[in-house]
Amino acid sequence: MLTLWISLLTLAYLLLLGYVLGHVVRDARLRRRQWQHDPRPRMVITDDGAYLDRGL
């Protein structure tokens, strides 16, 4: 009986972990997609200096 409870708890833990990781990955992909389509200029830092890249 104890083995059944341990198995159920392990299964519940793995399902919860998969659910949380799935949401983290989905949120990261959405943020990256929004960042790629963001029209604001980005700061580019090189050895010679820094400048704003407007992506033209």
Side-chain angles (χ1 to χ4, degrees):
M1 190 67 178
L2 180 64
T3 307
L4 176 65
W5 281 111
I6 292 173
S7 299
L8 288 175
L9 284 174
T10 303
L11 180 63
Y13 174 75
L14 290 175
L15 286 173
L16 182 63
L17 186 64
Y19 177 78
V20 169
L21 286 177
H23 276 271
V24 168
V25 169
R26 190 187 69 179
D27 187 49
R29 286 184 176 172
L30 285 174
R31 286 180 188 268
R32 183 173 183 211
R33 188 175 304 135
Q34 289 172 353
W35 182 82
Q36 286 176 343
H37 294 100
D38 189 359
R40 293 178 296 177
R42 292 181 182 83
M43 180 66 72
V44 177
I45 301 173
T46 64
D47 292 335
D48 298 327
Y51 62 93
L52 290 176
D53 179 22
R54 299 200 182 277
L56 298 175

